[in-house]
C-alpha cells in the first residue's frame, strides 16, 4: 500500500536511531559511517529550508499550470463543470505518484505540496458535485475522510493523518446529530467516547510493529484525539454549538458537569503525562489549562485583563522557578536539563526571532501625540508553545 | 527489539564491543524525562503575561495615584533582574558565553522589557528626555545593545535591532514590514536601505573580527530581509523612471554577494531567501517585458513562463542542495 521502499524506511529509522547514539557519544563517527553505508537510504529528503522552498515553487508551478489548462479549455466551456476539476485532481495525483516513484521523493517539499493540492482538488470535485443538497456535512466529511485516509496510507503523510483524524470525528458528529432525534443533547458524550476510542486505537496501532511506517501519523492522530476529547466536554464549545445549531441560548443543561470537565481534564492529562512520562500529553495538558482559563474568563469577568495577566504571569514564573529549583537534581526520573539532542531548528535561533516579533513595538509617532506610550505588547504569545 | 537491533549490528561488526556495552549500559539506566522545553515555554509566556499586564496596568491607571506604586514595582523588577544578572554574570568574552543557568536568560529578558516600560513611562509623564525623541529611543537602544553583548543574549540583540530601526524611524520585524508597508515615500525606502546595509555590514564585521560570531545570524537575517524589501519597493516606486534600473542592479549585486556568503557558510536558509527574492525580481521584470511587447498570446506566454520558471527553480534548489551536501 505504501508507495515507499520499505527497506529504506526501516534503514532510515535505524539511521535516525544511531544518529541519536552518535550525538550522545555512544558510538564513534566511524561506526556511524559504517552503519549508514551498510544500511543505505535512497530517498531524496532535503533539509527543511529546501523543503519549504520547493513546496512554495511547486505551488506556483501547479497554480499556473492549472491556469494554463483552464486557459486552453476556456473556449470549450467546460471550466465550470466538476469534470474539469476532476481532471486537474487526477493530473495532480498522477504527477505526485510518478515523481515520488521516479525521484524517490520522501518529504521533499514537492510531494508534500502535491499531496495537499491533490487532496484539496478531490474534495473540491465533490463539493461542486453535491452542491447544496441535504446531508452535505455528512457527505463532505466522509469524502475528506476517505481522501485523506488514502493519502495517509499511501504517503504516510502527517498532515493528511491529522486531517483524517478530524474528518472521522466530524463524520461521527454529523451522522449522530442528524440520525438521532436527541442527537445534539447527547453529542458531547458520543464525541467523548469516539475520541477516547480513537486515542486508544491509535495508541494500539502505534505500538504494533506491523504499522511502524505509520507511527508518526498515529501519534498525530493521538494528539488530535486528546484535543477532541477535551473539546467534547468544554463548556464554551458546547454552549456555542448548541446556540449555533439548535438556537438555544443561555446556560447549558448539566452545566456543572461540563465545567468540571473543562477544568479537571487538563490536570488529569498532566498527571498521567508525568506518571507515564509522555511529552505529548504534558504539552497538550499545559495548553488546555490556558484554554480552560480562557473559557472561564469568557463567562465570568472576575478580574480586569491587566490584573489577570499580571497575576497569571507571576504565577507562571513562580511555578517555573519552583520546578527548576525542585528538579535541580533529577527526581522521579524527570529533569529540566536540555535533552541531549541537537535540534536542527536551534541553528536558526528560533527563540530570539520570536522574542523580537512579540516584544518590539511599532514605530509610534513621537510620544506626545496621544495617550499611549509603548508598554509591553503581547500579541500572539500562546503561539510560541513548543509544538 | 532495540536490543536485538544492536546485537545484529554487533554481529555484523558494525559496532565495537565497547560501543555495545555503552549502549546497553544506557538502555539499562532509567530514562530521564526532560521537561526542558515545557519549563522554558512556561517562563517565556510568564514573562510575556507579566510585563504585558504591568504595562497595561500603568496605561490604564496613569491618571490615578496608584500608578506610582505600580511603577515602583516595575522598577523593582528591573533592578532586581539586573542585580541577579550582575551577581551571576560570567566574565565578558568575544566568544559564545553559555548562560550560567537555564533561568538566567529569562531573568535578563524580564529586566530588559521592564526597563523599556519604565523608560517609556518616564518619557511620557516627565518628558525625561525632553522633546528630543531621537534620544528617547537612542538611549534604550544603546542599553539593549550593551545588555545583549554583555550577557550574550540573542533575544535582547533582536530587541536592540528593532530599537535601532525604531530610532531610525522605521520598523524591522518581518510581520511589521508586511503590515505597515507604506513604501510610497522615497525617504522611508532609503532609510530602510541604509538600515539593511548597516545590518549586513555588521554581520560581516562580526564574522571578520571574530567578535561574538554567533550574533551574525541575527544581523544577517534582519539585514537581508530589510534590504530586499527596500530594493523591491524602490523598484516599484520608481517604476517609470530610470532609477528603477538602479534598484534592479541593487538586487542583482545584493543577491550575488549574499549568495556567495551563504554558500561559503553553507547556510541553506540564506540561499533560499536570496533565490526567492531574486525570483520575485526576475518575474516582475518578465511580466514587465511581456506587457511592453504586448499582443494576444501574452497571458499564455506568462502562464508558460511561471510554470517553467517554478520547475526550473526547483531543479536549481535541488542542485544547490546537492552541491552543499557534497562539500
Amino acid at each position: 500500500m505504501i508507495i515507499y521502499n520499505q527497506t529504506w524506511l526501516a534503514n532510515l529509522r535505524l539511521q535516525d536511531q544511531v544518529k541519536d547514539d552518535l550525538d550522545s557519544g555512544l558510538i564513534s563517527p566511524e561506526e556511524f559511517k559504517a552503519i549508514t553505508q551498510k544500511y543505505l537510504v535512497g530517498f531524496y529528503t532535503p533539509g527543511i529550508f529546501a523543503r519549504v522552498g520547493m513546496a512554495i515553487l511547486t505551488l506556483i508551478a501547479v497554480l499556473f499550470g492549472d491556469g494554463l489548462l483552464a486557459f486552453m479549455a476556456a473556449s470549450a466551456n467546460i471550466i465550470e463543470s466538476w469534470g474539469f476539476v476532476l481532471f486537474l485532481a487526477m493530473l495532480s495525483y498522477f504527477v505526485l505518484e510518478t515523481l515520488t516513484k521516479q525521484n524517490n521523493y520522501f518529504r521533499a517539499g514537492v510531494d508534500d505540496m502535491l499531496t495537499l493540492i491533490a487532496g484539496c482538488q478531490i474534495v473540491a470535485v465533490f463539493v461542486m458535485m453535491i452542491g447544496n443538497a441535504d446531508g452535505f456535512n455528512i457527505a463532505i466529511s466522509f469524502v475528506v475522510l476517505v481522501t485523506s485516509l488514502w493519502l495517509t496510507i499511501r504517503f504516510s503523510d502527517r498532515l493528511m493523518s491529522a486531517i483524517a483524524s478530524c474528518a472521522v470525528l466530524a463524520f461521527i458528529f454529523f451522522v449522530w446529530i442528524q440520525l438521532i432525534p436527541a442527537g445534539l443533547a447527547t453529542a458531547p458524550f458520543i464525541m467523548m467516547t469516539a475520541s477516547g476510542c480513537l486515542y486508544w486505537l491509535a495508541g494500539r496501532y502505534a505500538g504494533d510493529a506491523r504499522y511502524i511506517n505509520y507511527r508518526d501519523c498515529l501519534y498525530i492522530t493521538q494528539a488530535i484525539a486528546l484535543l477532541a476529547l477535551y473539546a467534547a466536554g468544554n463548556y464554551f464549545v458546547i454552549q456555542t454549538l448548541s446556540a449555533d445549531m439548535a438556537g438555544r441560548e443561555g446556560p447549558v443543561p448539566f452545566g456543572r458537569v461540563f465545567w468540571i470537565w473543562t477544568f479537571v481534564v487538563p490536570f488529569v492529562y498532566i498527571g498521567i503525562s508525568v506518571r507515564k512520562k509522555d511529552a505529548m500529553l504534558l504539552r497538550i495538558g499545559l495548553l488546555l489549562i490556558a484554554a480552560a482559563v480562557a473559557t472561564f474568563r469568557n463567562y465570568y469577568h472576575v478580574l480586569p485583563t491587566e490584573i489577570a495577566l499580571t497575576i497569571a504571569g507571576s504565577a507562571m514564573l513562580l511555578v517555573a522557578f519552583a520546578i527548576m529549583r525542585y528538579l535541580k537534581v533529577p527526581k522521579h526520573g524527570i529533569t529540566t536539563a536540555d535533552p541531549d539532542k541537537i535540534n536542527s531548528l536551534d541553528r536558526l535561533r528560533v527563540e530570539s526571532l520570536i522574542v523580537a516579533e512579540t516584544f518590539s513595538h511599532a514605530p509610534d509617532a513621537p510620544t506626545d501625540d496621544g495617550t499611549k506610550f509603548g508598554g509591553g505588547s503581547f500579541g500572539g504569545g500562546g503561539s510560541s508553545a513548543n509544538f | 527489539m532495540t536490543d536485538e537491533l544492536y546485537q545484529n549490528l554487533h554481529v555484523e561488526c558494525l559496532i565495537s564491543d565497547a560501543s555495545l556495552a555503552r549502549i546497553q549500559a544506557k538502555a539499562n539506566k532509567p530514562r530521564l524525562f526532560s521537561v526542558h522545553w515545557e519549563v522554558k515555554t512556561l517562563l517565556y509566556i510568564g514573562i510575556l503575561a507579566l510585563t504585558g499586564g504591568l504595562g497595561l496596568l500603568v496605561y490604564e491607571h496613569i491618571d490615578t495615584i496608584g500608578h506610582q506604586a505600580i511603577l515602583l514595582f516595575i522598577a523593582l523588577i528591573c533592578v532586581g533582574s539586573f542585580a541577579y544578572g550582575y551577581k551571576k554574570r560570567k566574565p565578558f568574552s568575544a566568544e559564545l558565553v553559555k548562560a550560567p543557568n537555564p533561568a538566567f536568560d529569562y531573568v535578563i529578558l524580564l529586566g530588559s522589557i521592564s526597563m523599556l516600560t519604565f523608560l517609556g513611562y518616564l518619557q511620557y509623564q516627565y518628558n525625561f528626555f525632553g522633546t528630543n525623541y531621537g534620544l528617547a529611543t537612542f538611549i534604550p537602544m544603546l542599553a539593549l545593545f550593551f545588555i545583549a553583548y554583555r550577557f550574550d543574549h540573542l533575544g535582547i540583540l533582536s530587541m536592540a535591532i528593532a530599537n535601532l530601526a525604531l530610532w531610525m524611524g522605521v520598523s524591522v520585524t518581518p510581520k511589521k514590514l508586511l503590515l505597515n508597508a507604506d513604501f510610497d515615500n522615497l525617504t522611508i525606502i532609503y532609510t530602510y536601505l541604509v538600515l539593511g546595509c548597516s545590518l549586513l555590514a555588521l554581520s560581516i564585521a562580526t564574522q571578520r573580527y571574530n567578535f561574538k560570531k554567533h550574533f551574525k545570524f541575527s544581523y544577517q537575517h534582519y539585514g537581508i530581509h530589510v534590504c530586499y524589501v527596500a530594493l523591491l519597493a524602490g523598484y516599484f516606486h520608481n517604476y517609470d523612471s530610470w532609477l528603477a534600473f538602479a534598484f534592479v542592479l541593487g538586487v542583482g549585486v545584493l543577491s550575488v554577494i549574499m549568495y556567495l556568503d551563504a554558500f561559503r557558510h553553507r547556510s541553506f536558509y540564506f540561499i533560499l531567501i536570496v533565490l526567492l527574492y531574486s525570483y520575485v525580481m526576475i518575474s516582475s521584470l518578465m511580466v514587465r517585458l511581456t506587457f511592453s511587447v504586448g499582443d494576444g498570446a501574452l497571458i499564455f506566454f506568462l502562464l508558460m513562463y511561471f510554470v517553467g520558471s517554478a520547475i526550473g527553480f526547483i531543479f536549481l534548489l535541488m542542485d544547490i542542495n546537492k552541491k552543499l551536501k557534497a562539500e
Side-chain angles (χ1 to χ4, degrees):
Chain A
M1 294 282 256
I2 200 163
I3 192 168
Y4 304 111
N5 181 327
Q6 303 213 19
T7 322
W8 286 353
L9 284 175
N11 289 356
L12 186 64
R13 273 192 302 277
L14 176 76
Q15 285 199 4
D16 284 347
Q17 194 170 351
V18 290
K19 182 83 189 20
D20 286 350
D21 296 332
L22 177 72
D23 288 340
S24 37
L26 296 179
I27 61 170
S28 69
E30 292 79 38
E31 284 169 339
F32 176 70
K33 215 175 156 200
I35 292 171
T36 48
Q37 270 167 6
K38 175 99 193 266
Y39 291 93
L40 282 175
V41 176
F43 290 130
Y44 182 76
T45 310
I48 178 77
F49 297 118
R51 189 177 170 190
V52 171
M54 279 156 78
I56 295 173
L57 290 167
T58 308
L59 180 64
I60 295 176
V62 173
L63 278 182
F64 284 96
D66 286 356
L68 195 64
L69 290 174
F71 187 67
M72 289 197 284
S75 51
N77 284 330
I78 50 166
I79 301 183
E80 275 129 56
S81 70
W82 55 262
F84 183 67
V85 183
L86 180 66
F87 167 67
L88 293 181
M90 278 161 58
L91 193 67
S92 304
Y93 187 75
F94 174 73
V95 173
L96 169 64
E97 284 258 340
T98 321
L99 282 181
T100 309
K101 265 190 213 143
Q102 258 177 14
N103 301 356
N104 295 317
Y105 285 146
F106 181 68
R107 293 176 187 167
V110 177
D111 50 344
D112 300 303
M113 187 48 89
L114 280 172
T115 312
L116 187 61
I117 292 173
C120 290
Q121 283 172 334
I122 293 168
V123 173
V125 170
F126 283 92
V127 170
M128 289 170 89
M129 221 153 74
I130 297 166
N132 280 330
D134 267 357
F136 177 82
N137 288 337
I138 296 180
I140 287 305
S141 51
F142 184 70
V143 169
V144 173
L145 171 61
V146 173
T147 309
S148 53
L149 195 61
W150 170 250
L151 290 172
T152 308
I153 291 170
R154 187 78 176 138
F155 297 97
S156 180
D157 189 287
R158 283 169 288 189
L159 177 63
M160 284 303 141
S161 74
I163 296 175
S165 322
C166 295
V168 71
L169 292 170
F171 179 67
I172 294 171
F173 177 72
F174 287 129
V175 167
W176 184 264
I177 61 170
Q178 207 116 55
L179 297 189
I180 310 294
L184 201 58
T186 46
F189 304 102
I190 288 304
M191 291 318 290
M192 285 177 198
T193 321
S195 32
C197 289
L198 187 64
Y199 179 78
W200 178 77
L201 268 178
R204 229 188 74 173
Y205 286 118
D208 191 327
R210 279 175 300 169
Y211 302 104
I212 195 156
N213 292 328
Y214 299 109
R215 192 165 281 179
D216 289 348
C217 298
L218 289 163
Y219 286 148
I220 301 271
T221 303
Q222 278 195 305
I224 301 271
L226 283 174
L227 288 172
L229 179 62
Y230 175 72
N234 178 286
Y235 190 85
F236 176 75
V237 174
I238 289 168
Q239 209 253 329
T240 315
L241 276 183
S242 67
D244 277 359
M245 304 188 103
R248 230 190 351 239
E249 298 291 341
V252 176
F254 306 112
R256 195 159 296 172
V257 178
F258 297 124
W259 272 120
I260 293 174
W261 183 272
T262 303
F263 274 94
V264 169
V265 167
F267 290 99
V268 172
Y269 281 5
I270 293 176
I272 298 175
S273 77
V274 171
R275 266 224 354 250
K276 286 173 65 180
K277 307 210 189 328
D278 182 339
M280 181 173 72
L281 255 175
L282 177 60
R283 286 168 188 184
I284 289 177
L286 288 171
L287 195 74
L288 291 183
I289 289 182
V293 172
T295 307
F296 183 74
R297 282 188 56 81
N298 192 43
Y299 294 99
Y300 302 97
H301 303 278
V302 266
L303 284 172
T305 316
E306 62 268 19
I307 297 179
L309 268 178
T310 310
I311 294 175
S314 319
M316 279 190 262
L317 287 182
L318 282 179
V319 169
F321 279 119
I323 293 174
M324 278 170 129
R325 175 142 293 196
Y326 179 69
L327 292 176
K328 217 165 194 171
V329 181
K331 292 193 183 74
H332 317 298
I334 302 173
T335 174
T336 56
D338 204 346
D340 52 351
K341 265 193 175 180
I342 299 157
N343 192 336
S344 62
L345 279 179
D346 274 1
R347 281 188 58 205
L348 230 189
R349 332 261 184 230
V350 179
E351 217 169 67
S352 71
L353 299 186
I354 296 172
V355 169
E357 199 61 81
T358 36
F359 285 124
S360 61
H361 2 92
D364 283 341
T367 37
D368 64 343
D369 68 343
T371 44
K372 196 176 199 169
F373 70 90
S377 70
F378 54 98
S383 61
S384 64
N386 279 308
F387 256 97
Chain B
M1 199 188 89
T2 305
D3 199 38
E4 193 183 327
L5 192 149
Y6 285 111
Q7 293 287 0
N8 278 340
L9 287 176
H10 186 236
V11 171
E12 290 173 294
C13 295
L14 287 171
I15 51 176
S16 64
D17 295 341
S19 294
L20 185 67
R22 270 200 297 270
I23 289 164
Q24 276 167 346
K26 197 193 170 192
N28 289 335
K29 257 198 308 195
R31 261 187 71 135
L32 276 180
F33 175 54
S34 174
V35 290
H36 182 77
W37 290 109
E38 287 76 8
V39 171
K40 281 204 153 181
T41 309
L42 202 60
L43 274 174
Y44 180 63
I45 297 177
I47 288 173
L48 221 61
L50 178 61
T51 52
L54 285 174
L56 263 182
L57 256 181
V58 179
Y59 177 71
E60 300 269 326
H61 300 270
I62 200 105
D63 299 323
T64 63
I65 288 294
H67 78 270
Q68 283 179 348
I70 303 164
L71 265 165
L72 190 69
F73 185 57
I74 294 178
L76 278 180
I77 291 181
C78 178
V79 171
S81 305
F82 285 122
Y84 176 86
Y86 186 74
K87 213 178 82 188
K88 298 267 178 169
R89 78 192 185 286
K90 284 185 176 171
F92 180 80
S93 144
E95 298 292 320
L96 172 72
V97 180
K98 282 248 162 163
N101 62 55
F104 186 79
D105 280 353
Y106 292 87
V107 175
I108 300 292
L109 183 64
L110 183 62
S112 302
I113 299 169
S114 36
M115 180 189 77
L116 287 186
T117 313
F118 191 75
L119 285 179
Y121 170 80
L122 281 186
Q123 172 63 14
Y124 174 79
Q125 196 73 350
Y126 302 113
N127 263 331
F128 189 68
F129 300 106
T131 47
N132 192 344
Y133 298 115
L135 203 64
T137 43
F138 185 69
I139 301 282
M141 179 194 83
L142 272 192
L144 287 175
F145 269 115
F146 174 75
I147 296 165
Y149 275 91
R150 182 62 193 84
F151 297 111
D152 204 307
H153 197 305
L154 277 166
I156 307 287
L157 181 69
S158 296
M159 282 169 68
I161 294 173
N163 250 270
L164 172 67
L166 201 61
W167 176 60
M168 293 176 74
V170 291
S171 166
V172 70
T173 63
K175 193 174 80 193
K176 290 281 169 57
L177 269 180
L178 290 174
L179 286 181
N180 291 11
D182 55 343
F183 289 112
D184 278 349
N185 184 337
L186 210 54
T187 327
I188 291 183
I189 292 173
Y190 286 133
T191 315
Y192 269 115
L193 210 51
V194 170
L195 172 70
C197 290
S198 14
L199 287 176
L200 287 179
L202 272 172
S203 85
I204 292 169
T206 303
Q207 174 89 24
R208 171 84 50 88
Y209 299 108
N210 206 356
F211 191 74
K212 294 282 181 198
K213 242 184 353 207
H214 55 290
F215 281 9
K216 186 188 176 208
F217 176 85
S218 299
Y219 286 128
Q220 200 176 357
H221 167 80
Y222 290 109
I224 200 167
H225 283 289
V226 167
C227 264
Y228 270 122
V229 170
L231 284 170
L232 287 173
Y235 168 74
F236 287 113
H237 186 78
N238 299 300
Y239 199 73
D240 294 320
S241 91
W242 57 272
L243 253 178
F245 180 70
F247 283 101
V248 175
L249 205 68
V251 171
V253 171
L254 180 67
S255 298
V256 171
I257 297 175
M258 281 298 112
Y259 181 82
L260 290 177
D261 183 78
F263 208 88
R264 199 174 325 124
H265 296 105
R266 307 181 58 186
S267 162
F268 205 91
Y269 172 70
F270 287 116
I271 290 181
L272 183 67
I273 298 289
V274 168
L275 284 182
L276 288 183
Y277 277 112
S278 307
Y279 184 54
V280 172
M281 184 79 252
I282 293 170
S283 297
S284 58
L285 282 178
M286 206 65 195
V287 171
R288 184 176 189 170
L289 197 72
T290 320
F291 277 100
S292 70
V293 176
D295 69 14
L298 186 128
I299 298 174
F300 189 73
F301 175 75
L302 272 184
L303 289 171
M304 294 271 278
Y305 159 76
F306 275 108
V307 176
S309 61
I311 294 173
F313 263 78
I314 291 176
F315 279 114
L316 186 64
L317 272 185
M318 287 169 77
D319 190 50
I320 294 171
N321 198 37
K322 207 161 82 187
K323 269 191 208 147
L324 272 186
K325 264 189 190 158
E327 266 179 31

